[in-house]
């Protein structure tokens, strides 16, 4: 995965995150994270006990209580720092977007046709503005008149200009981009503060980030575990009284903090924010964290053929002569039909003629006039000064053209044309005067590497379905070359919705890419809808993700990032819960060793003293959070594999590692505390 935009963590972001970590100590903010809120309550209690050690009974040590409160405070700060650091990267990206958003002047077209210069902030939905070369587009809108090259690098990072024109799927323009040629009239489609750029800034800053269903479920689990351990710790008070063992309140709080899943509780928000941030690094704006998470559970991807799987431009691949016409004659005439044709098809015919060795002098435009393609004639060509006329076009149109000129139709023309159509190509007939010379095989070629990418999706357990308006023969050929699992030919908008609903009725999550107004209903129906920034306003409004680079294949990266987010959350949850096992063996024996000597058998780490054991576990519990911040931010590396293998891998690496790491870490801290005489 190659990112065009790298979100880096610099000193400014770290400094601001450190400041924000203190700001987040506000109890109203902390209450949003129940696990860490319990830790904060424990901190306030131990601080109180540090000043009033005998408040809840004798045997309390002011110094011990103070040390516990300091460690709890550091634990909370580390958790807040992790979240603030993740938010900081998003805010840094938002600031760069804000630089793009300028208060520009706009040429408002009045009802009488006159132009009035106004501020872009004064524009309202429905206003018509004129934007000329080298001027910024003042707000989001749709082109209603004209064609222009637009520099979208400020939004997409892509330096190549994009051709925008009225009508069709490329009429949408974004505020803050620049017209670099010609002039266009734009109908404004948003009010101030509602533009695409405004929404991008808001989303990147995380202001509207909502917890996803998976995150809510995990939060519920963490709260449940916290309540369970709270009850357990509370019941230890009467149990200890029964065996004449007095447990300090600070020790009970330390036990509670160590047993509840503070590691994942402190990192959960950071993981979610970092997941959205990673999507943004790929120039994809996710409208919610739910969309990113849903991408990780996708079972089926619906892809358009044109522009997604194929290049979208039919290219000349073969010249096929008919009726024993020489290849050289066909090559020469095919070239002549395209001398004035500036379309991708025409240029590809000229390129193929060059490759086939047509002499250089045949490429001269001197003494020739181009005949443009028209829907009525369905052909184009060239007229020469000497009266010679050459044409290329649809087979039936060329047949009619030749007959009208008194010519005859070669017997093998229809057979050759059918062969090309059967192979998924488009046949163009070539004629010189009243004689048909042959066919040009136009082929919409599959993009390089698509088969490999679909193989990768298959390893993830994701089904790929290609939708196209082509006939079944053409669709089958492209599907076979690309390596998709299924295809739908002659697809209409309602067909796309039908296949999405069918998959969803089977309990599957579906993703789709699209850019046209006709794709909007399907994008809205899909669980993950990725719209192209170059597409229509309707498509972008219907989708829950927008790709600023307008690369439909990027849905594959989005899926991988979604899976990476879920894997990271699962891995750190496994690690956090496994941690509690080791901390249990550190604290429980220490609490009862004096009253019940037999409990020493459980002190398998051979920790020096009860105080040392408790403080060592508490310190380890605090420092493990910042140690895991890089993993939470970067994410666990995703490797395509089955769910069973993935579970086994996570249990082995993060489950076993989560048990072993605390044993080693707590023992090292215990030794250091003893050496420094801190217990």
């Amino acid at each position: 995965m190659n990112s065009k935009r790298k979100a880096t963590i610099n000193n400014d972001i770290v400094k601001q995150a450190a400041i924000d970590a203190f700001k987040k100590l506000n109890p109203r903010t902390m209450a949003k994270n129940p696990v860490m809120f319990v830790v904060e309550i424990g901190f306030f209690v131990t601080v109180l006990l540090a000043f009033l050690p005998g408040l809840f009974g004798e045997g309390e040590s002011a110094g011990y209580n103070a040390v516990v409160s300091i460690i709890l405070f550091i634990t909370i700060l580390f958790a807040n720092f992790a979240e603030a650091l993740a938010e900081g990267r998003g805010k840094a990206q938002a600031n760069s977007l804000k630089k793009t958003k300028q208060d520009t002047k706009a040429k408002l077209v009045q009802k009488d046709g006159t132009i009035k210069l106004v501020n872009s902030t004064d524009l309202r939905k429905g206003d018509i503005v004129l934007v000329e070369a080298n001027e910024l587009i003042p707000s989001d809108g749709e082109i209603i008149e004209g064609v222009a090259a637009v520099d979208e690098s400020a939004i997409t990072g892509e330096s190549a200009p994009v051709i925008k024109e009225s009508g069709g799927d490329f009429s949408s323009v974004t505020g803050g981009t620049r017209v670099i040629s010609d002039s266009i009239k734009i109908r404004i489609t948003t009010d101030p503060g509602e533009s695409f750029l405004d929404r991008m800034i808001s989303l990147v800053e995380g202001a509207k980030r909502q917890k996803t269903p998976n995150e809510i479920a995990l939060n519920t689990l963490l709260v449940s575990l916290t309540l369970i351990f709270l009850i357990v710790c509370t019941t230890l008070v009467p149990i200890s009284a029964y065996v004449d063992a007095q447990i300090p309140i600070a020790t009970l709080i330390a036990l509670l903090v160590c047993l509840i899943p503070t590691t994942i509780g402190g990192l959960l928000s950071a993981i979610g924010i970092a997941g959205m941030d990673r999507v943004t690094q790929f120039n994809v704006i996710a409208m919610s964290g739910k969309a990113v998470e849903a991408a990780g559970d996708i079972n089926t991807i619906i892809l358009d053929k044109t522009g997604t799987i194929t290049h979208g431009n039919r290219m000349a691949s073969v010249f096929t002569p008919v009726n024993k016409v020489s290849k050289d004659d066909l090559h020469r005439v095919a070239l002549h039909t395209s001398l004035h044709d500036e379309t991708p098809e025409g240029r590809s015919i000229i390129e193929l003629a060059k490759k086939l060795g047509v002499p250089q002098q045949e490429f001269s435009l001197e003494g020739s006039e181009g005949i443009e393609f028209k829907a009525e004639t369905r052909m184009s060509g060239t007229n020469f000064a000497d009266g010679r006329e050459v044409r290329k076009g649809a087979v039936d149109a060329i047949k009619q053209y030749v007959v009208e000129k008194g010519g005859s139709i070669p017997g093998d023309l229809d057979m050759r044309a059918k062969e090309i159509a059967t192979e998924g190509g488009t046949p163009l007939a070539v004629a010189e005067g009243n004689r048909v010379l042959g066919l040009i095989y136009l082929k919409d070629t599959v993009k390089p590497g698509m088969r490999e990418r679909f193989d990768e999706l298959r390893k993830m357990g994701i089904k790929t379905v290609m939708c196209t308006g082509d006939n079944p023969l053409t669709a089958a050929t492209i599907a076979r070359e690309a390596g998709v699992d299924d295809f739908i030919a002659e697809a209409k908008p309602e067909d796309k919705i039908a296949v999405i609903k069918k998959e969803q009725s089977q309990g599957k999550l579906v993703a789709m890419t699209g850019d046209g107004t006709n794709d909007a209903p399907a994008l809205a129906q899909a669980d993950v809808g990725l719209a192209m920034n170059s597409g229509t306003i309707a498509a972008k409004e219907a989708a829950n993700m927008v790709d600023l680079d307008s690369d439909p294949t990027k849905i594959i990266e989005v899926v991988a990032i979604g899976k990476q987010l879920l894997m990271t959350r699962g891995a750190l949850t496994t690690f956090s819960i496994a941690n509690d096992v080791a901390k249990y063996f550190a604290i429980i024996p220490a609490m009862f060793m004096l009253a019940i000597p037999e409990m020493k058998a459980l002190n398998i780490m051979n920790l020096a003293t009860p105080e040392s054991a408790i403080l060592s576990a508490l310190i380890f519990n605090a420092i493990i959070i910042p140690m895991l911040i890089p993993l939470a931010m970067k994410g666990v590396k995703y490797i395509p594999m089955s769910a069973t293998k993935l579970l086994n891998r996570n249990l082995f690496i993060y489950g076993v590692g989560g048990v072993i790491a605390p044993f080693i870490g707590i023992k090292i801290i215990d030794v250091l505390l003893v050496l420094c005489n801190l217990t």
Side-chain angles (χ1 to χ4, degrees), residues 26 36 53 100 107 123 177 376 382 389 520 652 654:
N26 186 326
M36 298 313 298
T100 302
K107 295 176 179 176
L123 294 174
T177 57
E376 297 82 18
T382 308
E389 297 180 356
F652 178 74
Y654 298 98

Side-chain angles (χ1 to χ4, degrees), residues 279 282-287 291 295 298 301-304 308 500 510-516 519-520 522-536 539-559:
V279 172
F282 280 88
N283 265 6
V284 175
I285 299 298
M287 301 305 178
I298 287 300
I301 295 181
I302 311 294
L303 299 132
D304 266 341
T308 303
I500 292 172
V510 182
M512 183 188 165
T513 63
D515 58 3
D519 293 324
L523 286 168
Q525 179 67 38
D527 299 283
V528 176
L530 179 64
M532 304 299 104
N533 189 40
S534 62
T536 60
K540 288 190 280 188
E541 290 291 343
N544 51 21
M545 288 189 183
V546 177
D547 176 21
L548 302 181
D549 296 328
S550 301
D551 176 8
T553 61
K554 207 180 286 183
I555 187 69
I556 298 171
E557 274 80 12
V558 172
V559 168

Side-chain angles (χ1 to χ4, degrees), residues 428-501:
L428 283 186
V430 177
E432 183 178 28
N434 64 356
R435 187 169 68 112
V436 178
L437 281 76
L439 297 163
I440 301 171
Y441 183 166
L442 294 180
K443 185 178 180 183
D444 190 1
T445 55
V446 174
K447 291 180 178 178
M450 290 306 298
R451 177 175 284 276
E452 290 74 18
R453 305 200 83 183
F454 291 139
D455 286 342
E456 185 179 339
L457 286 171
R458 205 168 288 112
K459 289 178 184 176
M460 297 180 190
I462 297 172
K463 176 184 176 183
T464 51
V465 179
M466 180 187 80
C467 279
T468 176
D470 288 337
N471 63 69
L473 289 174
T474 302
T477 302
I478 297 295
R480 187 168 55 251
E481 288 183 21
V484 294
D485 298 311
D486 199 1
F487 69 90
I488 301 171
E490 298 175 341
K492 298 182 288 294
E494 50 268 33
D495 295 327
K496 295 177 183 179
I497 294 178
V499 72
I500 292 172
K501 287 183 176 179

